[in-house]
Amino acid sequence: MRKTDQAKIRQRKHIAFRMNFLFFSIFILFSLLILRLGYLQIVKGEDYKRLLERTEDIAVNTSVPRGRIYDRTGKVLVDNEPKNAITYTKTTSTTSAEILEIAKKLAELIEQDTKRVTIGDKRDYWILLHPEEAAAKVPAKEIAKIRKKNEQMTDKEIQKIVNQLTRDRITDDELDSFSKEELEVLAIYREMMSGYAYSPQIIKSGNVTEREFASVSERLSELPGVNTTTDWERVRLSDNTIIGSTTTPIRGIPRNRLDYFLARDYSRNDRVGVSYLEQYYEELLKGQKTIVKNVKDRTGRVVETKTVREGEPGKDLVLAMDSELQEALEQLVSDKLLNLKKMSSSGLLDRAFVVMMDPNNGEVLALVGKQLVQDEQTGKWEVRDYAFGTFTSAYEVGSTVKLATVLTGYSHNVLKIGEVKIDEPIYIGSQVKRSLFNQNGRVAINDIEALGKSSNVYMFKIAMALGDAVYRPHKGLPINIEGFDRLRQSYASFGLGVKTGVDLPGEYAGFTGTETISGKLLDFAIGQFDTYTPLQLAQYVSTVANGGYRVAPKVLKEVREPSPDGETFGPLIQESGTTVLNRIPNTDAEIEQVKKGMQYTYSPRGTAPNLFAGADYTVAGKTGTAQSAYYDGTDRSKYGTKTVNLTHIGYAPVEAPEVAFSVVIPNISTNRSKYPHTSNEIAREALDIYFDLKKKRMTEELPVTSDLKIDRQKEKKEEDNKSVER
């Protein structure tokens, strides 16, 4: 074979090999492509679909009304008032120039307040209207020097410096050159610019006239992104501070909680609850925004907006509180405070509290706190609501803790039911401690009498036993400091010195004393060491009243679907359950013995003799007086002044407790030897109000707990019928 033929054969083989390799490579590449497409579609398909939905489905800041808040009788405490509003929604492709043109058109149709326009707004607006003059504020040579001086900076950082220099060099005359009409355009423009893409921003709300609303509605086709709608204004129909408050669209999300809300799909200009019930139940009250899908063309321009889910109003809350009872008690406390303030020794008195709750399920019926504030101009005392002070402020409460002291003695086996002790002055070194009713004698009393007469010495001897102390008159009193822990841990089981678990933010547990000398242990046993809140006292006496179960107080009674008209309730979603936090380590017999001591309080020999004489209900309770010191005000020059705190706790009726109460009047007097027992007066009048209201409602054939009870009975009957059918 010739060499030329051999060369051709080799060439053909080489070409064939190369072609085969090329086809094989193409086959491999197509196989990899098919595998990749299969992986993306089959394995990752759902993930990419969800990602697409996240980018296209947008929660729009539609103005849905927050849920209403009712009291237990169906009275509206917080409502929503509809307001005409004008909004603007920009897209990601909307330019500043386009927004400015729309603002100019709107300025011809509506009047806009210019008070919110800032110096910064004016500077930005001047730059927008005078771009060439603004550019001349920082010449090219100066920019070059800035670049040379800051070589390490990026172009973006350099431009930021230039922009700031431009803004700073705008003169006052240039800022004052805007006409009234231009300022009005600026006021509209700033509101339009402050919103986020695809999220409606309120331009004007509340004071939109019918003419303005109609004029804008007629020209919506000429105003892309502008819409006329209904906004909602939160209306409080009660002065009770525990209801809380919300922000406005102008204020939006509080800066200190910005990240928290943004992570939960809020917009910066959303209304949010910022205190107490409005804050605590934000998730229920806020409502559900409208969810829309924006359909875009290839350029990214939105050509269609489809609603994926309609917005929903917030859920309605029904509180356990009785507003009629609350208002009557508020008036009672206000009147008592103003009268007490007339005393010469009442210079430090400025507040008083009453709490009423159902001891069986923890429902808070009334949470009353009032505070006196002096008007700077007139000098007159004004009463302001301080309901939140019932769980955010704490005081030494005196002898009302003696119920817990006796029960602690029982549970630690240092006291027996009916045990008799000698009430006599206690001498520790040169110090003497005694009971108020027995200054110098030796009186034999049992546990019931010790509670009813409020024997300090009986409690001192329990405390000594808890601290493993051996008493020798006029000698020192060495103690085991574990006595403090034993007493404090026992008190905590009743709810004293620990948070109650109430469904409100900001609860305070109280101050815990740190000294461990023997005298302080004795003071501790009579309520003159640690501090407790008025709500803790109510939970504590409820624990005794219901047979030893510490129940968490609850302000919320029910959650319901939004009411269609504000008068009839929506369907029941859930009822707040009863939360039992713990059972105290005492027997039923021990608790009953303490209850007898509470009833002795109102006997002729008790600390509040015949207080409830003539009442058509029975009461068990305990009075308290604490020799305290003033640390509540802002005037530090008065700190440490010796004062008296008055307290009173109890429950009624004795045979079947349905209401427990606590009364606290801190710093009632700076005269420790002479002061009125107003806490007793409030206790009597408060219970009279409660039972008179109950009688009135029974006479009117209305349920004490409200029309809501009728609704629940009807719903339960329907459920029972369905169960029978099944």
Side-chain angles (χ1 to χ4, degrees):
M1 185 180 292
R2 290 181 298 178
K3 290 183 177 180
T4 55
D5 292 337
Q6 290 177 348
K8 288 179 179 178
I9 291 171
R10 283 197 300 271
Q11 187 177 11
R12 282 198 295 271
K13 288 181 178 179
H14 185 63
I15 291 171
F17 174 77
R18 291 169 64 183
M19 291 297 293
N20 289 336
F21 181 77
L22 177 62
F23 285 133
F24 180 74
S25 299
I26 292 171
F27 171 76
I28 293 297
L29 290 173
F30 269 103
S31 298
L32 291 173
L33 180 61
I34 291 169
L35 288 172
R36 181 61 179 170
L37 289 173
Y39 172 77
L40 292 175
Q41 186 171 356
I42 298 171
V43 180
K44 289 289 187 179
E46 288 299 320
D47 293 339
Y48 285 116
K49 184 179 178 182
R50 284 193 294 269
L51 181 62
L52 180 64
E53 289 173 349
R54 280 202 301 271
T55 57
E56 296 297 324
D57 292 0
I58 299 173
V60 176
N61 186 22
T62 50
S63 181
V64 294
R66 286 174 71 84
R68 294 182 178 90
I69 300 178
Y70 299 86
D71 82 334
R72 69 188 295 120
T73 68
K75 181 180 178 180
V76 180
L77 303 179
V78 184
D79 206 345
N80 303 294
E81 185 177 342
K83 301 283 186 180
N84 286 337
I86 298 170
T87 65
Y88 174 72
T89 307
K90 64 183 177 182
T91 67
T92 51
S93 59
T94 308
T95 65
S96 298
E98 290 172 337
I99 295 175
L100 180 59
E101 284 303 312
I102 297 171
K104 289 178 180 178
K105 292 179 181 179
L106 269 178
E108 297 174 359
L109 303 175
I110 66 174
E111 293 183 5
Q112 185 78 342
D113 192 352
T114 60
K115 290 180 181 178
R116 295 188 64 225
V117 174
T118 65
I119 297 296
D121 294 330
K122 289 182 178 181
R123 287 172 176 167
D124 292 338
Y125 192 50
W126 189 89
I127 293 171
L128 185 64
L129 295 180
H130 307 87
E132 294 180 1
E133 294 176 50
K137 295 284 185 182
V138 186
K141 290 183 179 180
E142 187 176 354
I143 296 175
K145 289 181 180 179
I146 294 171
R147 289 184 183 280
K148 187 176 181 181
K149 186 178 179 180
N150 302 281
E151 293 179 352
Q152 74 281 5
M153 288 188 177
T154 64
D155 290 343
K156 188 175 181 180
E157 291 171 331
I158 295 294
Q159 189 58 48
K160 187 176 181 180
I161 295 174
V162 173
N163 291 343
Q164 188 59 50
L165 286 172
T166 302
R167 290 166 56 86
D168 292 342
R169 292 173 182 178
I170 299 173
T171 66
D172 292 340
D173 290 339
E174 288 169 331
L175 293 179
D176 293 337
S177 64
F178 294 121
S179 65
K180 181 181 177 181
E181 291 74 19
E182 286 176 321
L183 284 176
E184 196 170 39
V185 172
L186 170 57
I188 296 172
Y189 174 77
R190 76 181 297 278
E191 299 299 339
M192 297 170 72
M193 288 294 292
S194 62
Y196 290 91
Y198 308 113
S199 182
Q201 175 67 21
I202 293 176
I203 298 171
K204 188 173 182 180
S205 174
N207 57 348
V208 178
T209 66
E210 294 295 331
R211 182 190 64 79
E212 290 175 333
F213 195 80
S215 298
V216 175
S217 298
E218 290 170 359
R219 298 182 60 180
L220 290 179
S221 59
E222 304 171 27
L223 303 166
V226 176
N227 192 20
T228 50
T229 184
T230 300
D231 189 24
W232 299 90
E233 182 176 322
R234 203 69 165 151
V235 179
R236 285 185 55 174
L237 304 175
S238 170
D239 294 330
N240 195 318
T241 51
I242 69 158
I243 290 172
S245 60
T246 62
T247 61
T248 62
I250 293 175
R251 179 185 172 192
I253 298 173
R255 184 172 297 179
N256 62 340
R257 304 195 71 200
L258 187 62
D259 293 339
Y260 172 86
F261 284 111
L262 291 181
R264 287 159 177 76
D265 295 326
Y266 280 73
S267 298
R268 288 177 183 263
N269 59 343
D270 277 345
R271 295 177 177 89
V272 297
V274 290
S275 61
Y276 305 116
L277 286 172
E278 291 275 17
Q279 176 186 340
Y280 196 89
Y281 288 110
E282 169 67 21
E283 289 299 312
L284 292 171
L285 290 167
K286 69 175 182 178
Q288 175 62 57
K289 297 179 181 180
T290 297
I291 305 296
V292 301
K293 181 187 287 289
N294 290 315
V295 181
K296 303 176 183 177
D297 59 17
R298 286 179 294 179
T299 65
R301 185 171 62 89
V302 176
V303 295
E304 185 182 1
T305 299
K306 297 180 179 179
T307 300
V308 177
R309 185 174 65 191
E310 292 289 350
E312 298 177 0
K315 307 302 182 189
D316 288 346
L317 305 185
V318 180
L319 305 186
M321 297 176 65
D322 185 326
S323 59
E324 192 173 357
L325 175 65
Q326 174 83 18
E327 290 168 6
L329 294 179
E330 286 179 349
Q331 189 62 53
L332 169 64
V333 173
S334 298
D335 292 343
K336 295 293 184 182
L337 266 178
L338 290 171
N339 284 331
L340 286 171
K341 200 61 183 174
K342 297 174 183 177
M343 297 189 312
S344 59
S345 60
S346 64
L348 300 179
L349 170 69
D350 71 342
R351 65 195 70 180
F353 306 94
V354 176
V355 176
M356 277 192 169
M357 62 183 285
D358 186 327
N360 304 298
N361 58 22
E363 290 183 355
V364 177
L365 306 175
L367 210 57
V368 178
K370 290 297 176 181
Q371 189 169 28
L372 292 174
V373 179
Q374 195 167 24
D375 187 284
E376 294 181 359
Q377 296 180 345
T378 65
K380 293 183 178 180
W381 290 101
E382 297 178 352
V383 181
R384 296 183 183 176
D385 192 76
Y386 190 39
F388 59 89
T390 55
F391 58 92
T392 62
S393 62
Y395 312 93
E396 292 173 276
V397 298
S399 298
T400 48
V401 305
K402 290 177 180 176
L403 313 176
T405 302
V406 170
L407 286 166
T408 302
Y410 293 149
S411 63
H412 280 79
N413 297 316
V414 299
L415 181 69
K416 295 180 180 179
I417 293 177
E419 183 174 336
V420 175
K421 294 181 182 292
I422 302 299
D423 187 293
E424 59 188 338
I426 299 294
Y427 298 95
I428 303 174
S430 59
Q431 184 183 16
V432 60
K433 290 178 173 290
R434 52 170 64 94
S435 298
L436 184 63
F437 78 94
N438 177 31
Q439 294 292 298
N440 299 301
R442 299 183 79 250
V443 180
I445 57 173
N446 61 22
D447 45 6
I448 293 176
E449 294 170 318
L451 289 172
K453 291 183 175 183
S454 200
S455 168
N456 290 339
V457 174
Y458 199 96
M459 308 304 150
F460 293 158
K461 292 185 176 181
I462 293 174
M464 290 178 194
L466 290 171
D468 303 324
V470 177
Y471 171 63
R472 295 183 179 87
H474 303 288
K475 303 292 184 180
L477 186 67
I479 61 164
N480 182 347
I481 61 173
E482 289 183 6
F484 285 94
D485 295 332
R486 292 165 184 162
L487 202 55
R488 191 166 283 128
Q489 289 171 7
S490 179
Y491 281 7
S493 69
F494 293 88
L496 296 174
V498 292
K499 292 185 177 181
T500 64
V502 68
D503 50 339
L504 288 167
E507 183 180 11
Y508 178 48
F511 174 78
T512 300
T514 56
E515 294 182 84
T516 56
I517 60 176
S518 58
K520 291 299 181 182
L521 179 62
L522 305 192
D523 291 340
F524 193 7
I526 62 170
Q528 299 192 153
F529 192 45
D530 287 4
T531 65
Y532 312 113
T533 68
L535 185 58
Q536 286 176 356
L537 284 182
Q539 184 185 54
Y540 154 58
V541 74
S542 294
T543 303
V544 176
N546 67 31
Y549 296 92
R550 184 164 75 100
V551 179
K554 57 182 178 182
V555 178
L556 180 65
K557 186 177 181 67
E558 297 174 346
V559 180
R560 289 184 171 259
E561 292 289 355
S563 168
D565 54 12
E567 297 180 3
T568 57
F569 292 104
L572 178 67
I573 298 175
Q574 70 178 60
E575 288 187 84
S576 296
T578 300
T579 303
V580 178
L581 301 174
N582 60 266
R583 171 60 159 87
I584 60 174
N586 290 96
T587 65
D588 291 343
E590 291 168 346
I591 295 172
E592 287 302 316
Q593 186 77 351
V594 166
K595 288 182 176 182
K596 292 175 184 177
M598 295 174 71
Q599 294 174 62
Y600 192 98
T601 298
Y602 308 119
S603 72
R605 295 184 179 181
T607 55
N610 304 315
L611 178 62
F612 291 95
D616 55 2
Y617 52 87
T618 54
V619 188
K622 183 75 188 77
T623 60
T625 304
Q627 293 186 348
S628 185
Y630 180 79
Y631 291 102
D632 297 319
T634 56
D635 187 353
R636 289 185 172 273
S637 65
K638 297 178 180 177
Y639 277 19
T641 303
K642 294 181 178 180
T643 63
V644 174
N645 297 344
L646 291 184
T647 57
H648 199 127
I649 61 173
Y651 64 87
V654 170
E655 56 277 8
E658 63 182 66
V659 61
F661 67 89
S662 69
V663 179
V664 180
I665 310 177
N667 308 311
I668 189 171
S669 175
T670 53
N671 184 343
R672 288 185 168 182
S673 60
K674 187 177 180 182
Y675 46 84
H677 293 277
T678 309
S679 56
N680 295 352
E681 298 171 12
I682 292 178
R684 170 63 196 255
E685 292 179 44
L687 284 180
D688 282 348
I689 290 170
Y690 173 85
F691 284 103
D692 286 347
L693 186 58
K694 177 183 177 181
K695 187 184 298 183
K696 169 190 167 186
R697 289 174 176 169
M698 292 178 68
T699 303
E700 295 173 352
E701 297 184 350
L702 291 175
V704 177
T705 53
S706 80
D707 295 335
L708 291 177
K709 188 171 182 180
I710 296 176
D711 294 341
R712 289 196 296 274
Q713 289 173 343
K714 183 178 179 182
E715 290 168 355
K716 187 176 186 304
K717 188 175 181 180
E718 291 174 353
E719 287 296 322
D720 291 343
N721 291 338
K722 290 179 182 178
S723 299
V724 172
E725 291 173 3
R726 287 196 293 267

